[in-house]
Amino acid sequence: MKGKIILPLEKQPPILTFNCHASYLSILFTVRDYYKYFYSDFINIFSDSMSSVSGFLMERWYCDDMFFDMFVLTSDDNFSMTDCFGENIQGSALELLRKDNLVKSIKLMLDLGFYVSGRINEFYVPKRRAEGKYDKRHDFYLNGYDDVEKCFYLSGYTIAGRYETVDISYDNLVRGLTLKQKGTFNILNFCKLKDHYSFEIDVKKIKVLLEDFISARSSFEKPSGIFKDDISCFYFGSGVYDGLIKNIVGDNKGLDLRIFRMLLEHKSCMLKRFDVLGEAGVCIDDSIKNEYGEIAKLQALIFNLAMKYKLKPVKELLESISKKSKYIKDVEIKLLEKVILRLNEFV
């Protein structure tokens, strides 16, 4: 066992709204040229009929073996790494995940280059809203440990809403992972980057996904991240604005800030995508980039208005959000249609 290890992380990946994206992207963005793959994807978006579930559309999730060697342990499994990875580690997962083995087991996996994730009781996690106050289970992942300080390095959202890495003591990690009724933690995920990559910007894919966004349709028959067979109740692409406006005008009690932050990240990713296309020789007109930059600023203003509404629900704020959202949708469609015309010259 090593005395200390820190696996590499990108501290500010381009998507931070959802931990399920931020955790994997913070690992993937340590890979040279991965950004070319990312900006060829993550274009289309979705939300449910209540605007309470939203995200970036993906055909394949991160855990489908494309980028990672990955496996999940539950306390009911038999565990063997010999067959999968050539390491002489095997036995009962229940034994591996037992309280008195947990720290040793997690450190071993980190030594082998595996990031560790799962769900933790944030009562025991520093800088969390629930810290020392109430039980709340939430996603987490670890990228290292320090035997001198007797702590793991845990990433996630702080009470201030920032995505940061904090130190959590060995004892508190065990407490946070232990299910009170069983004395064991029933699931842990382990992932390790594969070491063979070759990424290029995919202009054709970008064009297709932009067309899907404009047409408010799903890019995939069964998109990953939507855990329903029937996707007819979801809004896609530019249609997400229609669903959002409909909910704002109607029952607005459940105004969810995550959809506003997701739309803001969608704009920032698009602006960066224009730069990446330029690096590949596909130059987008400055006028388009400048106009898109303006609606990105307006999207940031809408996010701030939504936060104000959560603090003080005033009807005029909702009317302003609705009006500005419709304006963004109309302008964005026109700008992206111009981008597609430019991309047609290269596909």
Side-chain angles (χ1 to χ4, degrees):
M1 281 280 185
K2 301 177 182 177
K4 180 176 181 178
I5 190 168
I6 302 177
L7 300 178
L9 285 181
E10 168 56 52
K11 293 182 179 180
Q12 292 295 309
I15 299 177
L16 290 170
T17 301
F18 309 100
N19 195 56
C20 58
H21 287 299
S23 57
Y24 289 114
L25 291 177
S26 65
I27 301 170
L28 285 165
F29 265 83
T30 65
V31 177
R32 183 177 179 271
D33 288 344
Y34 170 75
Y35 73 93
K36 295 178 182 178
Y37 180 92
F38 176 86
Y39 290 110
S40 297
D41 205 339
F42 293 87
I43 292 172
N44 209 351
I45 55 178
F46 72 91
S47 70
D48 69 351
S49 58
M50 298 299 294
S51 299
S52 59
V53 177
S54 59
F56 288 79
L57 273 183
M58 300 171 65
E59 184 176 18
R60 303 166 66 184
W61 196 246
Y62 306 99
C63 56
D64 67 356
D65 296 331
M66 181 175 181
F67 301 116
F68 296 100
D69 289 323
M70 180 177 292
F71 63 96
V72 178
L73 280 184
T74 71
S75 54
D76 298 324
D77 290 335
N78 287 321
F79 173 61
S80 174
M81 288 186 63
T82 304
D83 294 339
C84 298
F85 307 106
E87 299 290 344
N88 187 22
I89 306 167
Q90 52 189 330
S92 163
L94 182 61
E95 183 72 12
L96 181 76
L97 301 178
R98 211 179 63 214
K99 287 176 65 174
D100 54 349
N101 277 347
L102 197 54
V103 170
K104 179 180 177 181
S105 299
I106 291 174
K107 285 167 58 180
L108 174 62
M109 299 309 295
L110 289 165
D111 284 340
L112 291 169
F114 285 88
Y115 298 81
V116 184
S117 63
R119 292 178 69 80
I120 191 168
N121 186 349
E122 292 192 331
F123 181 93
Y124 300 102
V125 181
K127 297 185 178 181
R128 297 299 190 268
R129 192 176 302 277
E131 181 188 5
K133 298 177 182 176
Y134 53 88
D135 293 333
K136 178 185 178 182
R137 303 199 75 83
H138 200 272
D139 300 344
F140 80 96
Y141 75 105
L142 307 174
N143 74 306
Y145 68 86
D146 187 333
D147 275 337
V148 175
E149 300 296 331
K150 297 189 181 304
C151 70
F152 288 104
Y153 301 119
L154 179 148
S155 293
Y157 305 97
T158 66
I159 190 172
R162 290 190 290 268
Y163 196 75
E164 294 180 358
T165 300
V166 299
D167 301 349
I168 181 170
S169 70
Y170 290 164
D171 289 343
N172 275 341
L173 184 86
V174 171
R175 294 184 184 106
L177 294 184
T178 301
L179 296 178
K180 296 178 181 178
Q181 66 272 31
K182 292 184 178 181
T184 61
F185 182 63
N186 68 346
I187 186 168
L188 282 177
N189 307 293
F190 303 92
C191 68
K192 182 178 183 179
L193 274 170
K194 293 182 176 180
D195 57 4
H196 51 281
Y197 299 95
S198 179
F199 297 121
E200 297 295 336
I201 195 77
D202 190 336
V203 177
K204 183 177 180 180
K205 184 178 182 181
I206 293 173
K207 174 180 176 293
V208 170
L209 294 178
L210 287 175
E211 290 171 341
D212 291 339
F213 177 86
I214 290 172
S215 300
R217 62 178 178 242
S218 176
S219 298
F220 315 108
E221 183 178 353
K222 291 185 177 180
S224 183
I226 297 180
F227 302 105
K228 291 185 178 180
D229 293 330
D230 182 10
I231 63 174
S232 61
C233 61
F234 286 85
Y235 294 94
F236 296 99
S238 59
V240 168
Y241 289 104
D242 299 328
L244 180 61
I245 293 168
K246 180 179 179 181
N247 283 313
I248 288 173
V249 173
D251 180 10
N252 51 64
K253 295 179 181 178
L255 195 62
D256 194 318
L257 289 178
R258 289 175 297 180
I259 190 171
F260 295 99
R261 184 164 182 173
M262 183 268 289
L263 288 168
L264 181 57
E265 290 181 336
H266 179 262
K267 301 297 170 289
S268 62
C269 286
M270 192 68 73
L271 285 170
K272 179 61 178 178
R273 185 172 291 110
F274 295 157
D275 292 336
V276 173
L277 283 167
E279 293 173 5
V282 184
C283 296
I284 306 300
D285 290 347
D286 286 341
S287 60
I288 295 175
K289 292 193 286 187
N290 291 338
E291 286 187 66
Y292 202 93
E294 291 303 312
I295 64 170
K297 293 177 183 177
L298 185 57
Q299 191 71 64
L301 175 60
I302 289 175
F303 179 70
N304 290 332
L305 292 176
M307 287 196 295
K308 288 182 180 179
Y309 180 81
K310 294 291 284 187
L311 296 173
K312 187 177 181 180
V314 179
K315 181 180 179 181
E316 287 73 19
L317 288 174
L318 291 179
E319 293 173 350
S320 180
I321 291 171
S322 178
K323 182 178 179 180
K324 288 177 172 59
S325 295
K326 185 179 186 307
Y327 174 81
I328 286 179
K329 176 193 172 183
D330 294 341
V331 173
E332 184 170 26
I333 286 175
K334 291 177 182 177
L335 291 174
L336 295 182
E337 285 174 340
K338 293 179 181 179
V339 172
I340 289 173
L341 290 175
R342 177 60 172 157
L343 298 184
N344 281 335
E345 301 175 23
F346 295 87
V347 297

